[in-house]
Amino acid sequence: MNSDSTSVLEVAGIGFGPSNMALAIALEEMHGAGANGPGPAMEFFEKQPAFGWHRGMLMEDATMQVSFLKDLATMRNPQSRYTFTAYLKAKGRIARFINSKTLFPLRVEFHDYLEWVADFLAPVVSYGSDVLAIRPVVEDGVMEYLDVVVRTFPGDGERIVRRARNVVIGTGLTPRMPDGAEESVRVWHSSRLMDRVASIAAEPRGFVVVGAGQSAAEATEYLHQAFPGTPVNAVFARYGYSVADDSPFTNGIFDPEAVDEFYAASREVKQDLLDYHANTNYAVVDLSLTEELYRRTYQEEVLGRERLRFHNASRVLKVDEYPDRVRVTVEHLPDRTVETLDADAVVYATGYRPSDPTPLLQDLLSECKLDDAGRITLDRDYRIVTSSDVRCGIYLHGASAERTHGLSAGLLSNTAVRSGEIADSIVKR
């Protein structure tokens, strides 16, 4: 194992999705280029071999669900060179984008923006790097630094150690499959849809999509359009898709000021707010997409050639996989009738769960403050609360912070401001 403890990083970032990208930008702008200095010593470790953000759902027609102004920098620093409008200017499309009169760009275009930013930040990113552990470095009884143990790919690769004053964990989300379901050649999670669909025959016998949220509706719409003549069956326990609440007043829950109020609230109030506004983000679908799917199924009914079917108030009882197909057994919950569907693949659009940081922090947990449920606690600046014997900083951003900082903690909506707060905390400390 190679160790590079002679040079100490100011920041070691684990994961390089939008959150840590925004952090790198904020650190650069706060006491880097803006101060005519060399900038902070920082390095980010990303498991993927190259930058990618939800590549498996980059359908050509899919649009963002948040405004382009909620990019990596604008809400913190509208004059940043890393804004979406700066990207449009660089690409020569700013006038045409304005003429389109939309706040919500195509997802493929926003991904291209992220890649554009990632190219600028490439010198501080190590791709193909899997962080295995974070270990304390104690001097005179005080934890001064953290050693980040990294395995490089391919294969087992080389193990290296980077020493840092601060570690920021931003490892994103992990696809969630229902209990008893496992991914296989013909059983997919929606996060890998675009990768897996390329292996399907030109004229598939059909698809089954399980789930009632935005990803499920998008997968259903895409498969129905991409494979003309192929049956697409959508299965969900609800009676119909629930529409996302993106009304102006409700969207205030994602404002930076709302984080202060949420953090200061009692546990009971926090839970109430999460419950009240879950329909802004969880298991809900954009109104325009629900209307388009309804239009299609009604048109097919009128024309007498139905291939888009919705199995509402239903659940999947079992999936039997064969070499050439899957057979999905579906139960209609109100009357307990059962139907079998033969398809080329079943797509589980069953959401994600926050990546658990505790395995990385095993050597540090004794110094971390836990709540009554044994969960890590965070300060307002997203720093893990530790004992007074810890001088280095351990920060966590993403959906894991939702219970303390509100619904915006794991979403793009507040990324620029959230990452700026973490950067400001690091600089001041």
Side-chain angles (χ1 to χ4, degrees), residues 1-60:
M1 180 184 293
N2 291 336
S3 178
D4 182 7
S5 300
T6 55
S7 59
V8 178
L9 296 168
E10 192 67 30
V11 179
I14 302 175
F16 199 65
S19 291
N20 269 345
M21 292 177 72
L23 174 65
I25 293 169
L27 286 167
E28 176 189 301
E29 293 178 347
M30 283 183 180
H31 72 153
N36 295 318
M42 56 182 171
E43 186 173 2
F44 295 85
F45 303 97
E46 170 56 47
K47 186 182 295 186
Q48 296 184 100
F51 176 79
W53 183 64
H54 296 299
R55 284 187 179 275
M57 290 295 286
L58 289 181
M59 303 148 185
E60 289 185 359

Side-chain angles (χ1 to χ4, degrees), residues 1 34 108 131 145 149 191 265-266 316 320-321 341 370 379 381:
M1 180 184 293
V108 291
V131 174
Y145 307 105
V149 182
S191 61
S266 67
V316 172
D320 296 310
E321 189 168 357
L341 306 171
L370 306 180
D379 272 328
D381 61 0

Side-chain angles (χ1 to χ4, degrees), residues 140-189:
D140 298 326
V142 176
M143 193 186 302
E144 292 280 2
Y145 307 105
L146 298 163
D147 277 349
V148 180
V149 182
V150 183
R151 179 180 62 203
T152 58
F153 293 105
D156 290 336
E158 180 185 19
R159 294 194 181 192
I160 61 173
V161 176
R162 292 286 187 266
R163 182 160 293 178
R165 299 182 189 276
N166 301 280
V167 169
V168 184
I169 302 173
T171 47
L173 301 169
T174 302
R176 178 171 55 202
M177 295 285 284
D179 291 341
E182 294 184 3
E183 286 194 278
S184 66
V185 174
R186 296 185 181 276
V187 178
W188 315 332
H189 187 270

Side-chain angles (χ1 to χ4, degrees), residues 121-138:
L121 300 175
V124 298
V125 187
S126 294
Y127 291 103
S129 299
D130 186 17
V131 174
L132 303 177
I134 303 171
R135 294 174 180 164
V137 179
V138 178

Side-chain angles (χ1 to χ4, degrees), residues 165-394:
R165 299 182 189 276
N166 301 280
V167 169
V168 184
I169 302 173
T171 47
L173 301 169
T174 302
R176 178 171 55 202
M177 295 285 284
D179 291 341
E182 294 184 3
E183 286 194 278
S184 66
V185 174
R186 296 185 181 276
V187 178
W188 315 332
H189 187 270
S190 59
S191 61
R192 284 175 266 275
L193 176 63
M194 300 304 290
D195 302 324
R196 296 294 186 87
V197 80
S199 65
I200 292 297
E203 297 182 3
R205 75 183 73 214
F207 296 98
V208 176
V209 179
V210 183
Q214 181 73 16
S215 294
E218 287 181 354
T220 300
E221 191 272 343
Y222 168 76
L223 292 169
H224 182 261
Q225 179 172 294
F227 296 92
T230 298
V232 178
N233 292 270
V235 181
F236 43 81
R238 299 187 178 200
Y239 202 81
Y241 293 118
S242 295
V243 174
D245 184 356
D246 63 351
S247 56
F249 283 112
T250 299
N251 266 342
I253 197 70
F254 303 115
D255 291 349
E257 296 79 8
V259 180
D260 288 325
E261 294 184 336
F262 189 94
Y263 186 84
S266 67
R267 182 183 300 180
E268 292 74 22
V269 171
K270 284 185 171 75
Q271 190 58 55
D272 285 344
L273 289 171
L274 291 174
D275 292 342
Y276 292 151
H277 298 293
N279 66 340
T280 60
N281 183 55
Y282 295 110
V284 288
V285 184
D286 287 344
L287 175 62
S288 59
L289 182 53
T290 66
E291 291 175 335
E292 171 61 19
L293 288 171
Y294 191 89
R295 184 197 66 79
R296 290 190 193 183
T297 189
Y298 184 75
Q299 180 186 48
E300 289 181 356
E301 182 181 347
V302 170
L303 297 176
R305 49 174 187 263
E306 297 177 61
R307 66 181 183 91
L308 177 58
R309 296 181 58 202
F310 294 94
H311 303 261
N312 59 352
S314 299
R315 64 171 178 169
V316 172
L317 287 181
K318 65 175 181 173
V319 176
D320 296 310
E321 189 168 357
Y322 302 95
D324 63 336
R325 71 187 189 282
V326 286
R327 175 162 290 174
V328 183
T329 304
V330 177
E331 179 186 34
H332 187 235
L333 296 171
D335 58 15
R336 301 297 183 184
T337 56
V338 173
E339 181 179 2
T340 58
L341 306 171
D342 284 334
D344 279 55
V346 56
V347 181
Y348 280 102
T350 44
Y352 301 81
R353 63 177 181 273
S355 297
D356 184 7
T358 53
L360 289 176
L361 301 173
Q362 284 301 314
D363 296 332
L364 311 170
L365 285 179
S366 62
E367 300 295 335
C368 298
K369 181 181 178 181
L370 306 180
D371 65 14
D372 296 340
R375 299 172 299 195
I376 291 169
T377 60
L378 301 178
D379 272 328
R380 173 60 185 84
D381 61 0
Y382 301 90
R383 183 174 181 262
I384 293 176
V385 180
T386 60
S387 72
S388 59
D389 292 333
V390 179
R391 288 184 183 167
C392 51
I394 313 164

